[in-house]
Amino acid sequence: MKRPYFGEFGGQFVPELLMPPLIELQEAYEGIVQSDDFQKEFNGLLKEYVGRPTPLTFCENLSKELGFKLWLKREDLAHTGAHKINNTIGQALLTKHMGKKRLVAETGAGQHGVATATAAALLGLECIVFMGAKDVERQAPNVKRMELLGAEVRPVYSSTQTLKDAINAALRYWITNQKDTHYCLGSVVGPHPFPSLVRDFQSVIGKEVKAQFLEKNNKLPDHIIACVGGGSNAMGIFYEFLEHREVKLTGVEAAGEGTPDCYHSATLNKGTKGILHGTKTYLLQTEDGQILPSHSVAPGLDYPGVGPEHAYLKETKRAEYVTINDKEALEAFKLLCKKEGIIPALESSHALAYAMKLKHKLSSDYHVVVNLSGRGDKDLEIVFKYL
Amino acid sequence: MQNVLEEVFYKKRESGKKALMPFLPAGYPDKESFVKYIEEMDRFSDIIEIGVPFSDPVADGPVVEKASNIALENGVNLPWIFDTLKYLKGRVKSKIVLMGYCNPFFKYGWEKVAEDAKDAGVVGIIVADLPLEESDEIRKILRAHDINLIYLVGLNTSNERMKRYADVCSGFVYFVSVLGTTGMREKLPDELIDKIKQARQIFSIPIAIGFGIKSPKQIEDIYEFIDGVVFGSALINHIDEKKDVKGFFELWKGYI
């Protein structure tokens, strides 16, 4: 079997009781997922159900202002309004092929929960979603959405009552129900093979960008920018370009309010090495190794860890990781609404905001692609509070 | 060389009894009472497991998770645990084993964990999220300081996997009696007896069972195949009800 590491990061730091289902999944990842039949079925669903390929939109108005060429990869136009669906369709299909009948998932703001419930409904699987009790309260419409789609939402009352606790609860559920349940993890985090499995399902984003950009410009883009919470949309768009070292890759983390002592989610920029949720990576933690609460105005970036492959890309300097604070992200959000008629997710607004910072710093034939990982309808309530 | 931890079980075997192994998170319910409880429990136990609290204890049920959070609020960390154990060294006869999760140990540094644990009289460390595949280097560091890395196996650990554990384990094997997290169960699973018998064939070192244990009746069927019993959640609940520790252990008189 493949080594479960990216340099020193990754691994399988889980209780022994979770090793048998992880090994089973590892075998399915190296067998079923790589088979032509599975890939054909998966790509068929991405095309006919998710609505792929999503467009690569040139932003004419903003490009004039910025002084370089800005392109958006329109994951906001995928079914359910974000890239999350690429992964859940893949994992739900895999679950069927593995002969299991139920998906269990964690969700923070509810986006991955909705995407999992959607894939479960389509493929006839049962679905249980663990969600921190505080998030259940904050994201009531998404709870209703999941329930409409036939999922059971279970609030988690332990510890901080947010995403990290929902992951703990889902892992605990999986220990007991591993025989007939697959854990549909929502990002490139967790124990091997999840970081690779989720990245592969999301890598369709980068493959499409490459083909679309080549077709339009007969070359590769100069620079790709994506937001990073756990990091699945970023790994999805980066992966195809890793070997093209001339393409600059930038991951954008959430700096929270941006004041020196504020809670944030800038794990790669301000965190330290540690082990959480089965993987060795960078974490927000105390000197004693206790996990700290994270924060961002963008609910989907609010996680105190980050995918181990991003930690590796940072260490090897193949990608750079920068930060954008809440205010900068909100400015970018407003700008894209007004200039291009697109309401972006607050997560994606972080990537956009970094592109805005490059204004007048680049040449007019420099091409930047921003991964617009989701649409912002879900965030209107948060945005209205700040306007 | 004799393994001091294994010896504890062999001595109990001679008298036809099992090792009694209470688990309590360090600094629970508060730092002072914790020390008193350990001294009291020492009269009834053979091995004491001290929980090193972690913010995200994925192998634990609600009782231990809550107790760990309280311990963290009480300011418990590894330096405090090692200091406290140094104070208790020589005052308690039970062998001391730590039980925790990778991250606090990793952050402290495994080399330093091994040194300080040895100074504090610790003879074994159980790491709930360290399976065979990730354990080689850590086991070697601990063993260089005469500390046993205790492995856990369970109902879903294949015989082939158990054999791989048997090649590297020492001290004792921690057999997890349920396919789940820590916390009391009314009944242990039916398949437990067969699996314990298989484990008995595979491992030459002692086997202790834990997770879900609250009364002697539960373990009657497997009694002859095990060497020790771990109590965690049941003991924490007992302490929470402000009952004295002696009362808890009376339930097990004759068995252990």
Side-chain angles (χ1 to χ4, degrees), chain A residues 5 11-17 19-21 23 158-159 164-165 168 171-172 175-176 178 272-277 280 283 285-291, chain B residues 53-60 65 69 72 77 102-104 106-107 128-134 152-157 161 165 176 178-181:
Chain A
Y5 288 93
Q12 294 179 306
F13 297 89
V14 296
E16 167 59 26
L17 301 191
M19 282 308 294
I23 291 167
S158 56
S159 189
K164 78 175 182 71
D165 308 293
N168 292 335
L171 285 168
R172 287 170 184 143
I175 290 176
T176 304
Q178 52 189 259
T272 50
K273 290 176 193 174
I275 296 160
L276 176 69
H277 296 143
K280 185 176 171 195
L283 301 174
Q285 58 181 332
T286 67
E287 272 181 29
D288 292 330
Q290 307 299 339
I291 307 307
Chain B
F54 179 47
S55 53
D56 294 79
V58 77
D60 284 301
E65 180 174 35
N69 281 332
L72 288 175
N77 56 13
C102 285
N103 201 46
F106 170 81
K107 199 83 180 33
D129 54 352
L130 191 72
L132 183 69
E133 282 79 353
E134 302 290 352
L152 301 103
V153 298
L155 293 165
N156 63 343
T157 309
R161 251 184 105 70
Y165 274 115
V176 178
V178 295
L179 204 53
T181 51

Side-chain angles (χ1 to χ4, degrees), chain A residues 3-11 188 195-196 199 228 230 235 238-239 242-243 245 249 268 273 279-282 306-321:
Chain A
R3 257 176 69 78
Y5 288 93
F6 307 96
E8 65 169 304
F9 302 104
V188 288
S196 302
R199 174 205 64 207
V228 176
M235 270 326 300
F238 287 175
Y239 193 55
L242 288 184
E243 57 177 9
R245 303 195 68 91
L249 306 174
L268 288 166
K273 290 176 193 174
T279 198
K280 185 176 171 195
T281 183
Y282 279 85
V306 66
E309 197 166 7
H310 284 296
Y312 177 68
L313 294 179
K314 176 194 153 90
E315 293 273 297
T316 56
K317 300 196 163 57
R318 176 60 191 100
E320 63 165 4
Y321 294 88

Side-chain angles (χ1 to χ4, degrees), chain A residues 24-25 28 32-33 38 87-104 116 119-120 123-126 174 178-185 194 197 201:
Chain A
E24 184 189 10
L25 183 61
I32 298 169
V33 175
F38 181 90
N87 169 46
T88 60
I89 290 285
Q91 291 203 48
L93 191 61
L94 182 57
T95 304
K96 284 212 88 157
H97 280 264
M98 290 171 79
K100 299 191 176 193
K101 65 170 187 182
R102 186 183 306 116
L103 292 176
V104 62
T116 306
L123 294 171
L125 298 162
E126 294 171 28
W174 199 30
Q178 52 189 259
K179 212 167 207 167
D180 61 1
T181 304
H182 171 68
Y183 179 20
C184 184
L185 190 48
F194 284 110
L197 179 74
F201 288 143

Side-chain angles (χ1 to χ4, degrees), chain B residues 13-30:
Chain B
R13 258 188 213 172
E14 281 166 21
S15 56
K17 296 208 169 153
K18 312 298 174 187
L20 177 59
M21 308 162 71
F23 164 90
L24 195 63
Y28 185 83
D30 57 73

Side-chain angles (χ1 to χ4, degrees), chain B residues 205-253:
Chain B
I205 63 168
I207 298 175
I209 75 153
F211 284 41
I213 314 292
K214 64 174 205 177
S215 75
K217 210 170 162 42
Q218 283 174 305
I219 58 161
E220 271 173 3
D221 294 344
I222 53 168
Y223 188 74
E224 60 175 304
F225 306 108
I226 58 169
D227 302 292
V229 186
V230 183
F231 315 92
S233 300
L235 177 65
I236 291 170
N237 275 343
H238 186 90
I239 284 174
D240 287 349
E241 287 164 15
K242 312 269 180 231
K243 294 180 194 161
D244 72 335
V245 170
K246 194 176 161 213
F248 179 83
F249 291 98
E250 263 165 10
L251 185 67
W252 291 85
K253 247 187 196 164

